[in-house]
Amino acid sequence: GAGAGRDEILVDATTFPTDGYIAASAARMTGCSIRPVTPAEVPGALGPRTAAVLLNHVDYRTGRLHDLPGLTAAVHEAGAYVVWDLCHSAGALPVGLDQHGVDLAVGCTYKYLNGGPGSPAYLYVRRDLQSRFDSPLPGWNSHAEPFGMRSEYTPASGALRGRVGTPDILSMLALEAALEVWDGVPVESVRAKSLALTDFFLECVASYVPEGLVESLTPVAHAERGSQVALRCPDAGDVMKRLIESGVVGDFRSPDVLRFGFTPLYVGFRDVERAARVLGDVLRGVLG
């Protein structure tokens, strides 16, 4: 916990399930309790019992971008730690972990960092916390002498203590190639294209899809949008299957959500227009 008497972990109630599972496991091991709250409810839910708050930067279902600077400041004001999940934001928009004093963050590299399924995850620990960071999964590769084969564990200094075992070399090579594409590319430019792509997609959907067949769950305001668009419609699972058969690959989230992700380094405006046009054709055939 962040201090004596702090025995409650606040968890994003809309989080990707794995985050909730991990938080529940951490609570069991530390004797803390879990309280699910939405990001909007966090400031009012913070109190003297709050040890840590686990939040998603971008909602995995709706694409809503949450206020990382404001929520981080609120958590710190309450004397707690904040952990951000960056799976749906890193590689698509500026995050600013150092700038905003974020304590801890986790994320994956297979989405907007384009590492592919099974690519490595990552951990961020604020520099001044690294000497106190105690990994629950110590391994030989995070040891101060990884080839010393000591019977007692001595953590390496800095970020290296976050490593566990032998990395997946093939996945690391694929990720290395994906990250080389970023050389010289400012993330601000990536964000500008991301917003232009998602704006254009929403415009095309409004033009091609018969009125009333879909509802956008993704905020229109740029400050509240990640790099995906989520559309709600009846028979969404069947609709996505037909889209994939037509070469438009998004994904389906039960019970009625179609998700379309826009990776700015690879997706172009022609791809976006075609996706919306095919969606309109499919919906007219499925629901019309």
Side-chain angles (χ1 to χ4, degrees), residues 24-260:
S25 176
R28 287 194 301 271
M29 291 188 292
T30 60
C32 289
S33 61
I34 291 285
R35 179 150 62 114
V37 295
T38 67
E41 294 170 333
V42 166
L46 294 165
R49 291 184 55 200
T50 308
V53 182
L54 172 59
L55 294 166
N56 285 252
H57 196 196
V58 173
D59 187 290
Y60 83 100
R61 285 174 56 85
T62 68
R64 176 177 290 277
L65 174 64
H66 297 303
D67 181 9
L68 182 146
L71 289 170
T72 297
V75 172
H76 287 169
E77 181 69 21
Y81 293 120
V82 66
V83 185
W84 284 95
D85 183 327
L86 308 178
C87 285
H88 292 82
S89 58
L93 52 92
V95 177
L97 298 179
D98 289 339
Q99 177 185 354
H100 301 300
V102 168
D103 303 305
L104 301 156
V106 294
C108 63
T109 59
Y110 73 85
K111 291 188 173 70
Y112 298 110
L113 294 174
N114 309 299
S119 62
Y122 55 84
L123 168 70
Y124 169 90
V125 181
R126 201 176 69 215
R127 185 175 297 276
D128 62 299
L129 297 178
Q130 290 178 11
S131 63
R132 291 187 283 138
F133 174 68
D134 185 7
S135 173
L137 293 172
W140 73 273
N141 207 17
S142 63
H143 198 286
E145 297 181 71
F147 293 100
M149 303 304 160
R150 309 289 186 190
S151 58
E152 295 183 357
Y153 178 71
T154 303
S157 62
L160 297 182
R161 67 177 57 193
R163 300 190 302 198
V164 181
T166 305
D168 187 324
I169 299 302
L170 295 180
S171 292
M172 293 285 281
L173 288 172
L175 177 61
E176 182 179 31
L179 294 179
E180 286 175 354
V181 178
W182 284 86
D183 290 347
V185 178
V187 70
E188 291 78 13
S189 298
V190 173
R191 175 60 168 165
K193 185 180 178 186
S194 164
L195 291 171
L197 289 170
T198 48
D199 279 342
F200 184 52
F201 181 69
L202 288 170
E203 292 172 9
C204 289
V205 168
S207 298
Y208 293 142
V209 175
E211 187 175 355
L213 292 187
V214 298
E215 172 195 0
S216 177
L217 302 178
T218 303
V220 174
H222 286 181
E224 299 175 3
R225 187 194 311 167
S227 196
Q228 72 180 59
V229 172
L231 302 175
R232 173 179 287 153
C233 75
D235 299 326
D238 190 36
V239 170
M240 184 53 69
K241 178 181 177 182
R242 291 172 183 255
L243 283 171
I244 292 172
E245 290 171 350
S246 300
V248 176
V249 181
D251 64 7
F252 160 66
R253 284 291 179 263
S254 180
D256 57 2
V257 176
L258 304 171
R259 291 196 318 175
F260 300 89

